[in-house]
Amino acid sequence: MSRTYTGKEIAEHSSRESCWIIVHGKVYDVTEFLPEHPGGSKIILKYAGKDATAEYDPIHPPNAITDNLPPEKHLGSVDLTTVEKVEVVITDEEKARQQRIAQRPPLTEVLNLHDFEAIARQVMPEKAWAYYSSAADDEITIRENHAAYHRVWFRPRILRNVTHVDWSTKILGLPSKMPVYITATALGKLGHPDGELNLTRAAAKHGVIQMIPTLASCSFDELVDAAVPGQAQFLQLYVNSDREITKKFVQHAEKRGIKGLFITVDAPQLGRREKDMRMKFEAEDPAEVTDNKQQDRVDRSQGAARAISSFIDTGLDWKDIPWFQSITTMPIILKGVQCWEDALLAYDAGLAGVVLSNHGGRQLEFSRSGIETLVEVVTKLKEKRGLAFPNEKFQLFVDGGVRRASDVLKAIALGATAVGVGRPFLYAFSSYGQDGVEHALQILHDEFEMNMRLLGARTISEIVPEMVDASSIHQHIVSVPTDNLYFSNYESMQSARLREI
Ligand code: 173
């Protein structure tokens, strides 16, 4: 039977042979779980017999521990007044970071979304920056995502009365103040203690839709509870190998009023994000690295993301689509489609749309950008099924590399209903919390207003394919001036280094 323990009793279980930890005032016996922990046993052993809450919170979804440990390992509660505080050592590096935080420019001086990235890189904890900014392999794809927009040029119209311009639209039938939604990104609390709540609150103020990630740091219900009446939210879904878990989650989401289910289909295995991996090695104490063999059963060398992704079902298949359709009436959208053939299959399967995306360049290296894929999908779905875009019944979305409203308008002209923006909002809240996200949305607002006028389009429906020249989209050569703001933020990858001994 569960009971209340004292800190002293728990402290006696501080070894590999008997390892208890405290999380949120509860005590757990994790001895047998040590070799299974996707993040490795070492990090748990550091907190053996102690309160691990502060380390646990930013990286785990709130219910990870209760879901993963059998009930008999939930030992009971702890009287927190009897627990010795884990000493927090403030390193010189952390002191320097705090100094940089104090030096952030006021938001009035933040002029564009690139600025948030430049600031975030200097003020975020190193590990968090490495996780958010990293991408697959040689990080060519993440850069191509942005560069692809340089291959689309405008053909604006003149002498149209553009006194009033309106860039509001509908996404899956729901009103949105702009053709942009906040796309799903994991582990929001790595960047800011309020995590994804920053996005929910800012989205409410600016009338945009947030896609809640399966792997949010805040709990799903917290994010839904934080929405104001009438605020629409979507859900990004990682499908669990245990389909009962997925079914419960999806049905719960529908009950809670989620308006669209975006199933991620480009991540049966996570890509290699070497910036993130290297950070993890460098964070290790060299004295404890005894040999080159992997001691734990689980490969924990893969940085923050792999550590928590082992539940994702590699067996997900087109055959599963009818099952999803049978468990929910929410519109279902596949997120991570990368060629017209799969977009066509999604359409034929009766789905509500696809997100043309390469997962922010974090998955398959040399997968084409969403904006490039959009061009072929629009062409082929017209040819094969007579569809015209944008299309209410089958909506196309793109994400990846978007930094300006002009990027968004290019995608809209080419047939997208809306565009997902991920990292820029993470960088905005990591640097300035909710105010940062609101400011980012205000920047986009101002950019839309100007660009609509300069394009000669008064409404989103006047943003037509003739307003862009995308004839070079498939040429993977960018012979335009370098985007200095973007590339000065881009952090070059590093090679292996010798260890200090
Ligand atoms: O891109 C990611 O990092 C991501 O989608 C993910 C997947 C699993 C766990 C954490 C993040």
Side-chain angles (χ1 to χ4, degrees), residues 307-354:
I308 57 166
S309 62
S310 48
F311 73 90
I312 299 172
D313 190 358
T314 49
L316 191 63
D317 193 280
W318 286 107
K319 290 201 273 297
D320 296 311
I321 299 297
W323 179 76
F324 285 103
Q325 291 164 319
S326 79
I327 63 165
T328 183
T329 62
M330 288 186 279
I332 298 173
I333 298 92
L334 300 184
K335 176 173 176 290
V337 168
Q338 300 176 56
C339 62
W340 70 263
E341 290 89 339
D342 283 339
L344 186 64
L345 285 174
Y347 174 73
D348 288 346
L351 299 180
V354 287

Side-chain angles (χ1 to χ4, degrees), residues 131 186-187 215 238 270 273 305 308-309 312 359 362-363:
Y131 171 65
L187 303 181
L215 291 166
Y238 272 123
L270 286 201
R273 293 96 184 247
I308 57 166
S309 62
I312 299 172
H359 206 119
R362 292 162 78 83
Q363 287 299 105

Side-chain angles (χ1 to χ4, degrees), residues 271-499:
R272 278 174 73 87
R273 293 96 184 247
E274 295 185 7
K275 216 181 256 175
D276 190 31
M277 291 162 75
R278 205 174 297 286
M279 179 56 61
K280 192 130 193 295
F281 293 137
E282 291 185 358
E284 273 181 13
D285 178 355
E288 291 185 29
V289 181
T290 46
D291 60 34
N292 285 327
K293 290 204 195 86
Q294 196 69 51
Q295 290 179 340
D296 295 330
R297 268 181 25 213
V298 180
D299 179 5
R300 65 195 169 80
S301 61
Q302 306 281 311
R306 281 229 179 151
I308 57 166
S309 62
S310 48
F311 73 90
I312 299 172
D313 190 358
T314 49
L316 191 63
D317 193 280
W318 286 107
K319 290 201 273 297
D320 296 311
I321 299 297
W323 179 76
F324 285 103
Q325 291 164 319
S326 79
I327 63 165
T328 183
T329 62
M330 288 186 279
I332 298 173
I333 298 92
L334 300 184
K335 176 173 176 290
V337 168
Q338 300 176 56
C339 62
W340 70 263
E341 290 89 339
D342 283 339
L344 186 64
L345 285 174
Y347 174 73
D348 288 346
L351 299 180
V354 287
V355 184
L356 306 170
S357 163
N358 58 29
H359 206 119
R362 292 162 78 83
Q363 287 299 105
L364 180 66
E365 178 78 311
F366 292 99
S367 47
R368 298 169 307 163
S369 66
I371 188 81
E372 179 175 352
T373 308
L374 176 67
V375 173
E376 78 167 32
V377 167
V378 166
T379 307
K380 286 292 187 175
L381 268 60
K382 179 172 185 207
E383 185 188 309
K384 304 275 178 197
R385 297 291 182 269
L387 298 180
F389 292 99
N391 189 299
E392 270 176 39
K393 295 233 165 62
F394 188 72
Q395 306 199 353
L396 303 178
F397 305 98
V398 300
D399 68 29
V402 171
R403 294 293 181 275
R404 297 271 188 189
S406 55
D407 298 333
V408 178
L409 291 169
K410 290 174 185 178
I412 301 304
L414 291 168
T417 296
V419 166
V421 175
R423 286 193 188 87
F425 293 129
L426 286 179
Y427 297 141
F429 76 61
S430 299
S431 310
Y432 295 92
Q434 180 186 341
D435 289 348
V437 184
E438 286 186 40
H439 188 65
L441 287 164
Q442 185 62 42
I443 288 170
L444 287 173
H445 171 282
D446 297 348
E447 289 186 352
F448 273 117
E449 181 173 56
M450 178 193 70
N451 282 296
M452 294 283 289
R453 288 214 172 100
L454 297 182
L455 272 171
R458 287 150 296 200
T459 60
I460 286 293
S461 61
E462 288 187 356
I463 305 280
V464 290
E466 293 74 22
M467 278 185 172
V468 290
D469 174 1
S471 55
S472 300
I473 192 73
H474 299 296
Q475 309 295 320
H476 290 199
I477 304 163
V478 186
S479 55
V480 292
T482 303
D483 189 342
N484 288 324
L485 276 184
Y486 183 82
F487 286 107
S488 68
N489 284 334
Y490 176 71
E491 185 182 49
S492 302
M493 296 172 77
Q494 296 169 14
S495 304
R497 275 190 276 168
L498 297 184
R499 284 183 178 271

